């Protein structure tokens, strides 16, 4: 059975430690794909929440002292209960504080996957990169090599997303050449993707395949919507509705019909 | 005058102690019906906020230590000022911590109404029920009897929402057989309904009638939208726009035209 | 070059200390206009965040103790780094606590602009005004005189928004007669406008002109959408899509075609 079919059948529970800006988008993105979103802010219930989850996502987007404690409590439980986790290092190079929390999490825990843009992944890999707010920024260097270096450093799967998504376990590389610039216009699509990658990982198979499949379904649904409209609000609605409808047949049709980015 | 006409005329102010995921949906749901949403996180202003509100909603969705204090401060003021309150025990059986906070609130304060799914209401009633994340889960037992037991235990009106909504004061039972599975696809519709029930209660009449009317208008608007589209994003927009238009005439038309669930 | 063209070219970074209800709307409103939204909750990173921002917005909407500290940390950094700031005094007269925090901020720091409704601006100006929740409330008095008094008191530009927006530096007055009652139906349009005013201020020119231009583009985009639909969800989508498309030509067409409020 394909991963998307498994997702709709197994309805994995995804516990997201979310940022304050886009939790509704993250939850709705999981919902339309058939996963079950849960969110929590209380360290007191971290272990109980992890127990009912198949997978955890940690989002660095608006971390502060209380949420850092929540992240540690959730990851302690996830490590103990052997529940896989995804890390979204939002703007991790944007402040010394974020860098510090990101390093603390990465040094203390193993993540099955890290999902970020090129600037974030480069920063984690220890490569100098011009970052501009929460955007990817610009920089030189072979993106694939950066993603691989980051994956090797943290013994994880890296999903570096952008015009072309690069998913790698440090050796093998899968590229997803679909997408749309409209993803960058709607705030929170990156946060959604991180939790959707988690949902696929929660099925229990290969992490590399799970992450690549999540990126591909996400990018195809968005590009198919962008073929119908270039207006961001209409696009976002059609994108979500495409995710809701996505099955083997529709995904195969999108793969055939959509123009790949060079 | 019908309750919906009163709502649009009186514009009751609803103070919601909201979860972090869906506050915008809750506020917009109140707004399109003509109620006035306010939200607050500071115990320092709890009494002032309750003073300008006709009704209060406490949502357990992402409770943590600071918000628990806010809930207590708001309920202290509501009890003192005799402002009615609605409780939404989101995932109250999902963790020992949530169970504890829910019990603390229910033991310390009287709520005019509790709105939850079958799993949540069963847990509050002390009946064993399989819960799965924030969803209703599955279980046996007569749903009406569970709702009545919960209402009797807390001397409140219970609105147990699902395929058929069951509203009861422990004796009288009103069933709302309308709705759509799409309600479960959009995160936060339950949170919205709890605050909308509060808005109707804020009009000052019978709590049972207020809760039942809120459930019916909500379910009818959603089912009418589902008759036009099965795509979740389009559905949600049409649902909100239906709520915005809902008046006596439109509600009567929906009641006549829509197929009831068995 | 027009301000809207500059905005799309320079992509100013706007740091918003946001309320918990509408951060996604604020971020998307900035995004569709070409600005770069960032949000943060940690005082530890306030200075780093302000360093990458061209402008800061402080939103009082759901202030509590921890966020008050964040506001102070961000404003300390903004003052030190000479980054201009916009203040949105949401419901500042709604509680003694809010009044106190608003006064603390206004006494301690200089804001380039204050954006609020008539009730909020009147309260800051020290004029008695009937306030009703987060809405403007009703009251007597010459709105322009109130806006001017507030601007003079805090040596700032005031954007008092309503059926007609009044923008003043205390002497000069610019009125924006466009808009739609639908702005009041969607929660968070005021919050969006405050951060969008900030984005225009972040371009570095006249604050009065920046605030007036922001109000005009915002109101025109909303009124143009209201000419197409009176349904709030569809309206909001079209409004955002109008903002996304807004350029010199489209804005001029809206100015010519749309009926002004008397």
């Amino acid at each position: 059975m394909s991963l998307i079919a498994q997702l709709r059948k197994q309805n994995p529970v995804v516990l997201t430690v979310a940022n304050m800006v886009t939790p509704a988008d993250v939850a709705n993105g999981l919902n339309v794909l058939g996963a079950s979103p849960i969110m929590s802010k209380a360290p007191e219930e971290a272990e109980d929440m992890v127990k009912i989850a198949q997978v955890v996502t940690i989002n660095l987007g608006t971390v502060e002292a209380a949420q850092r404690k929540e992240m540690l409590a959730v990851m302690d439980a996830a490590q103990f209960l052997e529940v896989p986790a995804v890390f979204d290092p939002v703007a991790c190079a944007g402040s010394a504080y974020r860098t510090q929390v990101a390093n603390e999490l990465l040094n203390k825990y193993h993540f099955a996957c890290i999902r970020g843009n090129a600037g974030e992944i480069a920063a984690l890999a220890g490569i100098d990169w011009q970052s501009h707010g929460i955007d990817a920024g610009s920089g030189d260097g072979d993106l694939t090599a950066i993603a691989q270096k980051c994956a090797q450093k943290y013994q994880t799967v890296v999903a570096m997303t952008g015009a072309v998504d690069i998913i790698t376990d440090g050796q093998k590389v899968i590229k997803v050449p679909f997408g749309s610039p409209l993803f960058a216009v709607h705030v929170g699509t990156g946060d959604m993707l991180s939790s959707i990658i988690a949902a696929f990982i929660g099925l229990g198979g290969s992490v590399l395949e799970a992450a690549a499949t999540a990126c591909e379904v996400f990018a195809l649904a968005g590009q198919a919507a962008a073929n119908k409209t270039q207006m961001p609000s209409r696009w976002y609605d059609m994108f979500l509705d495409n995710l809701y409808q996505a099955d083997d047949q529709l995904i195969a049709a999108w793969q055939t019909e959509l123009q790949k980015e060079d």
Side-chain angles (χ1 to χ4, degrees), chain A:
Chain A
M1 199 187 300
S2 70
L3 290 182
I4 186 81
Q6 283 181 53
L7 189 69
R8 296 199 186 277
K9 193 175 177 198
Q10 294 182 32
N11 314 125
V13 175
V14 181
L15 171 62
T16 303
V17 181
N19 66 54
M20 70 166 284
V21 187
T22 62
D25 284 329
V26 169
N28 281 315
L30 290 169
N31 249 8
V32 293
L33 281 166
S36 288
I38 55 174
M39 291 182 185
S40 165
K41 292 180 78 172
E44 294 89 336
E45 66 178 3
E47 191 174 337
D48 285 346
M49 288 285 134
V50 173
K51 272 183 187 161
I52 54 176
Q54 271 72 55
V55 60
V56 160
T57 306
I58 304 292
N59 184 298
L60 201 65
T62 51
V63 67
E64 36 69 64
Q67 199 184 42
R68 174 182 155 272
K69 286 182 194 163
E70 166 71 5
M71 290 174 176
L72 296 173
V74 165
M75 288 306 298
D76 280 345
Q79 190 168 271
F80 179 72
L81 296 164
E82 298 184 356
V83 171
V86 172
F87 183 46
D88 185 333
V90 183
C92 60
S95 75
Y97 177 71
R98 273 176 208 234
T99 303
Q100 187 186 338
V101 176
N103 286 337
E104 180 184 19
L105 291 166
L106 288 167
N107 291 335
K108 200 164 175 188
Y109 308 105
H110 174 256
F111 288 88
C113 178
I114 302 173
R115 203 286 318 162
N117 62 37
E120 291 156 356
I121 298 301
L124 296 184
I127 292 161
D128 193 39
W129 186 271
Q130 295 282 40
S131 200
H132 177 74
I134 58 164
D135 299 328
S138 57
D140 292 303
D142 180 338
L143 293 177
T144 301
I146 293 171
Q148 283 177 309
K149 186 171 173 193
C150 183
Q152 288 161 11
K153 183 173 175 186
Y154 299 107
Q155 299 191 303
T156 189
V157 166
V158 162
M160 178 198 278
T161 55
V164 173
D165 300 337
I166 298 165
I167 302 96
T168 178
D169 60 4
Q171 306 300 327
K172 278 184 257 178
V173 175
I174 301 175
K175 294 192 180 184
V176 173
F178 303 103
S180 163
L182 286 166
F183 275 110
V185 178
H186 189 92
V187 172
T189 52
D191 305 322
M192 288 172 70
L193 178 53
S194 296
S195 286
I196 287 173
I197 288 174
F200 280 91
I201 290 173
L203 300 173
S206 151
V207 171
L208 184 70
E209 196 194 338
T213 301
C215 289
E216 188 176 37
V217 172
F218 199 76
L220 285 167
Q223 188 172 337
N227 273 8
K228 297 253 175 79
T229 178
Q230 285 294 303
M231 291 298 100
S233 291
R234 283 205 61 211
W235 172 82
Y236 184 69
D237 284 352
M238 294 182 70
F239 162 60
L240 271 187
D241 289 346
N242 280 347
L243 284 182
Y244 180 68
Q245 294 175 277
D247 59 12
D248 295 340
Q249 203 178 339
L250 192 53
I251 291 168
W254 287 334
Q255 285 167 329
T256 306
E257 292 163 24
L258 297 178
Q259 188 88 34
K260 298 187 182 193
E261 307 232 1
D262 288 334

